[in-house]
Amino acid sequence: MTNVITTTDLPGIERVATGKVRDVYSIEGNLLIVATDRISAFDCILPQGIPGKGRVLTRMSLFWFDLLSAVIPNHLISADVNAFPAPLRRYRDQLEGRSMLVKRCRMEPVECVARGYVSGSGWKDYKTTGAICGIELPAGLVESDKLPEPIFTPATKAETGHDENISFETATRLIGRQTTALLRDLTLLIYHKASTYAESRGIIIADTKFEFGWYDGELLLADEVLTPDSSRFWPRKEYAPGGPQKSFDKQFVRDYLETLDWNKQPPAPSLPAEVIEKTAAKYLEAYTRLTGDTL
């Protein structure tokens, strides 16, 4: 892999956003998205990064953009530093393998979540109401059960903290009924194609979130796609409904932090080397299982 990069510094290039993982820059009317090795848990960025994480996230998004290109176009221009505008090439050591030059879209202000299984905030919602985001579900489901059919559960984007799950009707008030219906149909279509493929590679995609934006009147798939940061990936062979599942993400980080006397407020505690190594291995395993490739 490469050295751990937890922040980027591109003098002369305008930074327009800093997320929990990504640094975003503006360049010649387009955007440069750089996936760092930062990792967050409980909405706090941890002091250490996960080696190779940003490269895994970028390569995985590129894989899915390609696989899904027949379903919907995407915002990618290039992930090849040699094809980037000249001012960026001097920062090759920070950008190689972890960055994408993309079209600057007018983003829809909702997260488009597809759920095929009852887990996470959906499980909490179901236990309380018998529904997820207002969608009534059969009685008697247990945690991690497969749903009769995948469902679309939009969420509002949060600059900090958790996104907030909303109903279809609430989404229509934000972006209009026609657009909400279009995003729902695309979200479920993409989820079906991706989850069918992932099952063939031994991975269950329990849920995932997509973002869409408009560019020259065309709706594009944008941001990251079907990564362990935006999705719940479970090993199919070990799937056993009735509780939480093993997953290909920051499970080791969360499990470790839960053992500490920490109030889940910044600053976050440091991670031991073993937790960092196991987490890095899980991200890489997800990528290798899905793509058949190694980094």
Side-chain angles (χ1 to χ4, degrees), residues 243-278:
Q245 306 297 302
K246 293 182 178 180
S247 59
F248 293 97
D249 58 9
K250 41 195 172 189
Q251 174 184 336
F252 291 113
V253 172
R254 292 195 199 96
D255 290 350
Y256 170 74
L257 293 174
E258 289 283 17
T259 68
L260 304 181
D261 183 18
W262 174 50
N263 64 2
K264 297 175 183 173
Q265 299 295 319
S270 294
L271 298 175
E274 181 185 17
V275 172
I276 292 172
E277 290 166 9
K278 286 184 175 180

Side-chain angles (χ1 to χ4, degrees), residues 21-100:
V21 174
R22 286 166 179 77
D23 295 340
V24 184
Y25 295 85
S26 176
I27 180 79
E28 297 181 1
N30 298 311
L31 294 178
L32 177 75
I33 300 178
V34 189
T36 72
D37 296 323
R38 292 194 294 268
I39 190 166
S40 67
F42 308 111
D43 296 321
C44 294
I45 297 174
L46 279 74
Q48 300 111 310
I50 302 299
K53 177 174 180 278
R55 290 168 59 85
V56 168
L57 297 180
T58 299
R59 289 281 288 274
M60 194 171 287
S61 287
L62 293 172
F63 169 80
W64 288 113
F65 279 142
D66 182 59
L67 188 74
L68 298 167
S69 60
V71 178
I72 182 172
N74 58 70
H75 69 163
L76 178 68
I77 297 172
S78 179
D80 180 2
V81 176
N82 293 321
F84 287 0
L88 294 175
R89 294 177 212 158
R90 74 189 76 163
Y91 305 119
R92 179 183 299 273
D93 59 330
Q94 297 180 64
L95 303 179
E96 195 85 70
R98 63 173 69 246
S99 60
M100 299 186 293

